[in-house]
Amino acid sequence: MKTKLIAPSLLSADFGNLQRDIEMLNRSQADWFHIDVMDGRFVPNISFGFPVMKTVQQHAKKFVDVHLMIVEPEKYVDEFINHGADLISIHYEACTHLHRTIHHIQSKGAKAGVVLNPSTPVLMLEDIIADVDLVLLMSVNPGFGGQKFIENTYKKIAETKDLILSNNSTALIEVDGGVNLDNANKLFEAGADVLVAGNAVFSAESPERTIELLKI
């Protein structure tokens, strides 16, 4: 059975009504909560940290997928796990000791993912693919919501799938950026397992119905 998971990004939620939006996702067919953490250094924007994670931990009833767009992520992974992260993804471009950090995350009982920016080739993952639980392919340049999808992502999905299969890896493929009702099915058909959707969900007239449609 092909995996079709939807992970709405709380970056696009209404922060004045965060509990309401979390409870909506709990009711919906969403599979994961996607948490985008930005530090203003690795990416030009700043999002949120542990106070928001605490709210997510209190109210979210589903798998919590944390994407660290930060420098030196190894300094913070323990605290994110303590704040309820089920999976932590760190950028290949931001982590000098990637193998060590991936295994540290897993030793703490969480899943570990590696993220590639749009310009980073998939072959850079050759020596880590057998160790990770997930590969997150950025389909926009990280740092801001609402950007246009980069079409080269389809090619990168195929390359990632080939790398996973040739190394007997069990890693899932996640895609983040510009995902909407127009391209979701094509992304799943290309080999993606998990789609992150922010604006497409939270700016919709019916977010719950949009989540349903993204999974079809």
Side-chain angles (χ1 to χ4, degrees):
M1 177 73 180
K2 183 77 181 72
T3 313
K4 277 190 173 184
L5 304 179
I6 300 297
S9 170
L10 283 187
L11 190 63
S12 298
D14 179 351
F15 278 70
N17 294 283
L18 190 55
Q19 183 179 343
R20 178 203 68 189
D21 282 0
I22 290 171
E23 288 171 351
M24 178 274 291
L25 294 179
N26 284 334
R27 291 192 308 272
S28 77
Q29 289 186 29
D31 301 282
W32 295 0
F33 285 84
H34 187 80
I35 314 295
D36 287 302
V37 180
M38 308 176 189
D39 62 359
R41 292 178 65 204
F42 180 66
V43 290
N45 207 359
I46 296 173
S47 59
F48 46 75
F50 300 116
V52 169
M53 277 298 298
K54 194 169 185 182
T55 300
V56 174
Q57 188 177 23
Q58 285 172 340
H59 301 291
K61 294 184 169 69
K62 296 178 177 178
F63 189 89
V64 176
D65 163 29
V66 174
H67 172 197
L68 297 183
M69 288 175 263
I70 65 176
V71 297
E72 300 178 314
E74 63 278 1
K75 290 185 176 181
Y76 303 98
V77 293
D78 285 20
E79 196 161 356
F80 277 104
I81 292 168
N82 292 340
H83 278 79
D86 296 300
L87 183 151
I88 295 179
S89 294
I90 55 179
H91 272 261
Y92 171 87
E93 305 87 1
C95 190
T96 307
H97 301 289
L98 186 61
H99 183 274
R100 179 194 300 162
T101 307
I102 290 292
H103 282 273
H104 178 74
I105 292 167
Q106 292 165 335
S107 76
K108 296 293 182 179
K111 304 273 188 196
V114 61
V115 193
L116 294 183
N117 278 342
S119 63
T120 304
V122 170
L123 59 85
M124 306 306 280
L125 299 182
E126 192 168 1
D127 292 329
I128 194 72
I129 193 69
D131 299 274
V132 299
D133 300 294
L134 176 136
V135 175
L136 171 50
L137 299 174
M138 292 303 301
S139 43
V140 299
N141 287 292
F144 298 95
Q147 294 184 69
K148 190 172 183 298
F149 179 85
I150 296 171
E151 293 293 323
N152 188 54
T153 305
Y154 295 110
K155 176 172 167 278
K156 290 185 79 168
I157 293 171
E159 290 171 353
T160 306
K161 200 71 171 175
D162 287 346
L163 189 65
I164 287 168
L165 292 172
S166 63
N167 286 274
N168 295 316
S169 170
T170 57
L172 297 178
I173 299 173
E174 183 173 34
V175 176
D176 182 1
V179 172
N180 55 40
L181 291 172
D182 295 328
N183 59 20
N185 189 52
K186 191 176 174 186
L187 287 164
F188 281 132
E189 285 182 353
D193 302 292
V194 189
L195 300 183
V196 177
N199 284 352
V201 168
F202 287 101
S203 65
E205 196 172 318
S206 172
E208 290 182 63
R209 176 62 179 152
T210 299
I211 291 165
E212 282 179 41
L213 293 171
L214 286 166
K215 292 172 77 83
I216 292 172

